[in-house]
Amino acid sequence: MSEATPPIPPYDPTSKPHKRRLRYHGSHPRRFEEKYKEHDPKRYAETVAKVMASGKTPAGMHRSIMVAEILEVLAPQPGEIAVDATLGYGGHTQEILQKLSPGGRLLGLDADPIELPKTEARLRALGFGPDVFTTHRSNFAGLPQVLAGVGLTGADVILADLGVSSMQIDDPTRGFSVKLDGPLDMRMNPQRGQSAAALLQRIKPDALAELLIENADEPHATTLSPALAGKSFTSTRALAEAIRTALPRLNKEDSDLTVRRLFQALRIAVNDEFSALETFLRNLPTCLNPGGRVAILTFHSGEDRRVKKAFAAGERDGLYAEIAHEVIRPTPAERNTNPRSGPAKLRWAKRAV
Ligand SMILES: C[S@@+](CC[C@H](N)C(=O)[O-])C[C@H]1O[C@@H](n2cnc3c(N)ncnc32)[C@H](O)[C@@H]1O
């Protein structure tokens, strides 16, 4: 008697080939790359849910911030055209896409060539085909060109959730992390521009002091800049140690805060974030269809100031029919369950008809 041939399982384009997991010391994986269960949320949903319930972000994932508030102000409708200018993990995009059906479409932009294909694959696996969802590796400063490239003159809904994603911060190889050691890079697109290490090596103390004040209101800018400018730091840890050594009298809390501010100021400079934001804000009214809505989530005062000013000027000039006069903040419940939402501020504007 011949044995029945087992049926061949249907092809699943999202399944990953079996790989031996990384070895780690101790009973639990600690390092970003060792957390194999968190990197595979489809397979280990229970572990991922436990990590999130503890207020942490699972490795390789990003928890979208103020989703309900953003959907309320953007009010995406079936058939509309939307742009997610900062696609990231695609959490906001996924929610917006559901509201655009039937007949709508969304363009997802991101500067990061490493995370973008992963997010595209994740959203395709959820059933969003190229007819409704396309990705564009582009800085959002180039939004008019991206729209023109696909034959569009404007969008009905635009979202920008500024800064870096948890995937970028938590991956030590990207060099954004204050806590984990890695190469001092900080580029959202590592194929372009100069790393944070190269910037520090090249910059003069006066220019660094100016940069620290402009990008992070750094109170210790004049002490820190001669200790850091022109120096060669290859790792994030070496830079953090040099900052602490330059300010030996600070207590632990102030010292940690200073390291954070300095990393933020460098990241803004490396990625030219303020000039990209200013270009985006200037282009926005022409990228929105009449009656179109834009929502912007910011994470520090340098960003919020620029958004507030641009929206107020647009309203004065009659380009926006309405704008948010007060910022919208995450609820205490969201701040509790996702501490990374803490500094978020949401502003919106509506294009005049
Ligand atoms: C906070 S995350 C967005 C998370 C996303 N809303 C979600 O729900 O997953 C910000 C993303 O914007 C990207 N980004 C930041 N500045 C950018 C710019 N000027 N142009 C394009 N992408 C940018 C980063 O690479 C990152 O992936």
Side-chain angles (χ1 to χ4, degrees):
M1 208 177 76
S2 67
E3 273 179 24
T5 317
I8 299 170
Y11 172 63
D12 176 359
T14 66
S15 76
K16 296 178 190 148
H18 177 76
K19 271 204 279 178
R20 229 187 139 71
R21 68 171 166 77
L22 289 168
R23 289 182 181 282
Y24 50 82
H25 292 292
S27 56
H28 293 296
R30 287 181 197 286
R31 293 153 63 100
F32 177 82
E33 66 277 14
E34 293 169 347
K35 297 182 178 175
Y36 67 100
K37 289 190 178 175
E38 295 177 31
H39 281 290
D40 195 352
K42 236 174 122 186
R43 197 154 163 204
Y44 298 103
E46 211 178 304
T47 305
V48 167
K50 262 194 213 158
V51 174
M52 292 209 275
S54 72
K56 293 189 184 134
T57 301
M61 203 186 234
H62 179 91
R63 302 173 71 180
S64 302
I65 291 170
M66 300 182 76
V67 176
E69 293 85 345
I70 286 172
L71 287 178
E72 192 181 333
V73 299
L74 288 179
Q77 303 297 316
E80 286 193 325
I81 293 163
V83 167
D84 185 343
T86 51
L87 181 65
Y89 194 75
H92 289 114
T93 278
Q94 186 183 334
E95 299 291 331
I96 295 170
L97 273 168
Q98 277 160 15
K99 307 274 179 195
L100 299 177
S101 169
R105 64 180 283 200
L106 182 145
L107 280 62
L109 276 62
D110 206 296
D112 184 340
I114 298 169
E115 292 299 330
L116 189 64
K118 298 185 204 166
T119 299
E120 178 172 351
R122 218 168 15 246
L123 286 154
R124 291 273 179 266
L126 291 172
F128 299 109
D131 50 330
V132 294
F133 168 61
T134 48
T135 61
H136 306 264
R137 219 273 326 125
S138 168
N139 192 300
F140 55 54
L143 179 58
Q145 292 78 4
V146 172
L147 287 170
V150 294
L152 290 171
T153 51
D156 304 299
V157 160
I158 299 180
L159 169 66
D161 171 10
L162 302 179
V164 278
S165 68
S166 295
M167 295 88 76
Q168 293 165 328
I169 301 170
D170 295 340
D171 181 350
T173 66
R174 303 295 304 264
F176 290 105
S177 176
V178 170
K179 287 194 205 137
L180 310 161
D181 200 19
L184 187 60
D185 194 313
M186 300 197 190
R187 283 172 293 181
M188 291 182 202
N189 180 354
Q191 295 154 4
R192 292 235 174 112
Q194 60 174 348
S195 66
L199 184 151
L200 278 177
Q201 200 161 24
R202 197 183 44 86
I203 202 165
K204 299 273 181 283
D206 285 356
L208 181 59
E210 210 174 293
L211 180 160
L212 296 178
I213 292 166
E214 168 66 18
N215 293 2
D217 299 322
E218 178 50 60
H220 306 294
T222 46
T223 313
L224 285 171
S225 43
L228 307 177
K231 305 275 165 30
S232 168
F233 299 102
T234 50
S235 76
T236 49
R237 187 162 293 159
L239 174 61
E241 272 164 20
I243 299 166
R244 295 183 205 283
T245 308
L247 297 165
R249 274 191 250 264
L250 290 190
N251 63 33
K252 164 115 177 57
E253 198 186 350
D254 287 343
S255 168
D256 287 351
L257 267 174
T258 307
V259 173
R260 255 176 222 288
R261 276 196 306 267
L262 197 125
F263 270 58
Q264 178 183 290
L266 279 181
R267 190 203 83 203
I268 291 170
V270 162
N271 296 289
D272 215 357
E273 291 179 34
F274 287 158
S275 82
L277 177 60
E278 283 163 9
T279 307
F280 175 69
L281 290 166
R282 214 172 29 248
N283 290 334
L284 258 179
T286 53
C287 292
L288 280 168
N289 287 334
R293 289 84 63 202
V294 56
I296 306 187
L297 260 185
T298 64
F299 292 84
H300 55 86
S301 56
E303 291 173 342
D304 183 56
R305 233 176 6 241
R306 285 169 169 82
V307 175
K308 183 179 172 182
K309 204 168 142 203
F311 283 0
E315 188 184 40
R316 225 174 23 244
D317 298 343
L319 296 167
Y320 294 125
E322 250 184 288
I323 63 167
H325 285 287
E326 298 292 329
V327 285
I328 308 172
R329 305 295 310 264
T331 59
E334 178 165 12
R335 283 204 287 266
N336 252 331
T337 50
N338 181 10
R340 285 185 176 173
S341 70
K345 287 183 179 165
L346 175 65
R347 289 188 187 272
W348 57 267
K350 190 171 176 188
R351 179 84 171 90
V353 183

